[in-house]
Amino acid sequence: MAEKFEIRKTWRVKKFHKAPPPPKVLGPVPADDIEPTRIFDQLSAIGDTFVWCFVLETTEGLILIDNLYPYPKYIELVEDGLRKLGLDPQNIKAILITHGHFDHFGNAGYFREKYGARIYMSKAEYDYYMNLPEDDDHNPIPFEVTDFLEDGDDFVLGGTTVHCVGTGGHSPSVLSFIFPVTDEGRPHMCCTWGGTGVPRKREWQEQYLRSAVHFVEACDKYGCDCEVSNHPIIDNGIERLAVIQHITDGVANPFVIGKDACHRYARMFYDFCAAKMNPKPGPCPID
């Protein structure tokens, strides 16, 4: 009788995803700039190996999702990045901010003053960072927000709809986003989780868990089959970007992972938070 060999069912390295280290309030985390890169027909990434912002093109102008750090270098990084992508900074119409940490709100005020961009974020998030408690050493937000977006809202520009999902925990009232993209004309639905690092306070950790479940449900509802992260360390973003930068006809887009994998990606944030909690919470209520 021929010898039978067992085919392994798991082969990935067993390790928990690690959040990026919290940025020092006095300056950015040391990182190398990335080459501005188109990921989908209308979605591109600009930033460095620590943090990204995204450019979403619509028929009525550009949407920026986040804005990197609030230092002069990052103004140039965004403006030059747009030009390298063949886009005009004058066409920035809106900046959607995931949360009130300085490596995400960046120089949004500058882009409003220079280009007339409108700035959006959650009202509860904005109010918190404009009235920081004494035990929170984050930077206050140095500009006024044009208008507010909340869980369940849709932001529409040029026929493109960005669905807003409230995912507080990392910060009090984080927004995650879901929006349509195409890959050489093939339609997909993309999600991006707004706030990654697990907070220290137990009540915020519990909120993070609830948000992760809510995010999974939203991704399933809209049929998400691809994802991008504003901190590329969480999803091998840098490695996948390298594939995109050298992609040729016939090679699959590495950011298109399928609905099942996208469900598991969204669910990962529950396990990610639960692993850092003590005492441990129950298992994720969603398989």
Side-chain angles (χ1 to χ4, degrees):
M1 181 181 293
E3 183 179 359
K4 292 185 178 181
F5 297 93
E6 182 179 354
I7 305 300
R8 68 179 66 199
K9 295 180 180 179
T10 59
W11 47 269
R12 289 175 174 80
V13 176
K14 296 295 184 183
K15 64 178 182 179
F16 285 110
H17 290 267
K18 294 182 179 180
K24 301 295 184 183
V25 173
L26 297 179
V29 170
D32 296 323
D33 295 346
I34 64 167
E35 185 67 21
T37 303
R38 189 173 302 280
I39 297 173
F40 291 100
D41 298 348
Q42 59 283 92
L43 184 72
S44 302
I46 297 173
D48 59 31
T49 53
F50 177 77
V51 64
W52 291 358
C53 70
F54 299 102
V55 187
L56 183 60
E57 300 171 44
T58 82
T59 57
E60 293 182 4
L62 306 177
I63 300 171
L64 294 185
I65 299 177
D66 282 346
N67 202 241
L68 307 177
Y69 290 101
Y71 302 108
K73 168 194 170 178
Y74 294 92
I75 293 175
E76 182 179 346
L77 195 63
V78 172
E79 290 180 327
D80 287 352
L82 289 171
R83 295 186 184 104
K84 287 180 179 179
L85 292 164
L87 304 172
D88 188 344
Q90 294 282 353
N91 293 327
I92 301 171
K93 302 301 181 185
I95 302 174
L96 310 186
I97 297 173
T98 57
H99 62 286
H101 291 171
F102 79 146
D103 54 328
H104 297 275
F105 68 66
N107 293 289
Y110 165 89
F111 289 95
R112 182 190 62 194
E113 294 300 319
K114 185 170 183 179
Y115 301 116
R118 297 172 67 84
I119 304 171
Y120 300 84
M121 67 184 301
S122 161
K123 187 176 190 308
E125 186 81 355
Y126 181 72
D127 289 346
Y128 178 85
Y129 285 95
M130 293 303 289
N131 301 278
L132 286 165
E134 291 184 359
D135 62 347
D136 193 321
D137 61 358
H138 283 94
N139 304 65
I141 294 173
F143 51 78
E144 292 184 2
V145 170
T146 306
D147 206 349
F148 300 105
L149 295 169
E150 307 300 340
D151 178 52
D153 285 350
D154 287 341
F155 178 82
V156 181
L157 182 68
T160 296
T161 299
V162 179
H163 306 291
C164 302
V165 186
T167 53
H170 171 71
S171 191
S173 191
V174 179
L175 287 177
S176 296
F177 301 114
I178 294 173
F179 46 89
V181 294
T182 57
D183 180 25
E184 295 190 321
R186 295 178 291 272
H188 297 283
M189 191 64 77
C190 187
C191 66
T192 185
W193 172 259
T196 301
V198 176
R200 295 183 180 89
K201 294 181 180 179
R202 179 75 184 194
E203 62 188 283
W204 286 20
Q205 292 173 343
E206 291 173 349
Q207 182 188 16
Y208 194 114
L209 294 180
R210 294 190 297 271
S211 293
V213 172
H214 184 42
F215 186 58
V216 172
E217 293 171 337
C219 290
D220 289 349
K221 172 184 175 181
Y222 290 109
C224 293
D225 62 349
C226 54
E227 60 77 24
V228 293
S229 175
N230 52 27
H231 285 297
I233 191 174
I234 203 68
D235 64 349
N236 295 113
I238 297 298
E239 292 81 1
R240 291 191 289 162
L241 199 70
V243 175
I244 285 283
Q245 289 167 345
H246 299 90
I247 204 163
T248 57
D249 287 345
V251 176
N253 187 320
F255 289 91
V256 178
I257 60 176
K259 292 180 181 179
D260 179 65
C262 211
H263 172 95
R264 287 185 282 111
Y265 164 79
R267 187 189 179 284
M268 174 190 75
F269 291 102
Y270 186 99
D271 297 333
F272 176 47
C273 181
K276 296 178 179 290
M277 295 176 68
N278 188 21
K280 301 298 182 188
C284 182
I286 297 178
D287 289 335

